[in-house]
Amino acid sequence: GYGHGMVEVARAARDAGAEWLGVATIDEALALRAAGDTGRVLCWLTVPGEDYEPPVEAGVDLTAYSVAEIVEIATAARDLGVRARVQLKVDTGLSRGGVLHRRKACRDPPRRRGGATIARLAAVRLAQNPTGSWARRSRPAPTVPARP
């Protein structure tokens, strides 16, 4: 990306030992597959209603931002007879996208965090081979003092 030649940069990264690559869109992930990249690729920007069969069939890890989206990805995987690899984007309170929870993450005890939305999603996620989750922090990370 960024005008440097996505395929060339991906090859250089793989040659340097990168086990994972990240791309923004499904089209970018599929372009890497078409260029011969067979390693792990995470597509982090997806939207409900996309055609998920091509990336699922190509073994691309997809990010789901909503319960509806995870259901669509799971349906594509089921139709293909394969298991999708999915990462869940969780909105922790910044309203920057992701599966919303019903309670404010900073105020609820950990056992209650996430509300019904995350609980409902868990059954689908577990069946679809989740590879991770990610989120933007709703509070700044604590400052770590520099080592001398």
Side-chain angles (χ1 to χ4, degrees):
Y2 296 101
H4 301 294
M6 178 179 65
V7 171
E8 294 80 5
V9 170
R11 284 186 186 134
R14 295 289 191 200
D15 289 345
E19 295 179 17
W20 284 74
L21 298 176
V23 297
T25 66
I26 289 174
D27 288 343
E28 291 172 347
L30 295 176
L32 288 179
R33 291 294 192 244
D37 191 295
T38 59
R40 298 295 287 272
V41 175
L42 171 64
C43 175
W44 59 275
L45 286 178
T46 58
V47 295
E50 290 202 70
D51 182 2
Y52 292 108
E53 285 193 13
V56 168
E57 188 170 36
V60 173
D61 289 64
L62 297 166
T63 298
Y65 284 73
S66 68
V67 173
E69 200 168 4
I70 194 86
V71 170
E72 291 178 20
I73 294 168
T75 299
R78 186 190 65 229
D79 291 349
L80 291 166
V82 299
R83 291 173 60 108
R85 289 198 305 254
V86 179
Q87 294 211 8
L88 176 65
K89 169 64 169 73
V90 179
D91 184 339
T92 59
L94 286 177
S95 300
R96 299 281 306 268
V99 175
L100 299 173
H101 48 77
R102 299 198 188 282
R103 297 174 179 89
K104 295 207 184 289
C106 299
R107 295 186 185 153
D108 281 350
R111 69 188 186 312
R112 299 184 134 216
R113 248 181 231 162
T117 303
I118 299 281
R120 191 172 123 210
L121 183 62
V124 177
R125 282 183 54 237
L126 293 174
Q128 288 304 316
N129 196 23
T131 61
S133 63
W134 58 281
R136 290 182 171 89
R137 295 176 62 101
S138 61
R139 293 182 182 207
T143 303
V144 177
R147 292 185 179 181

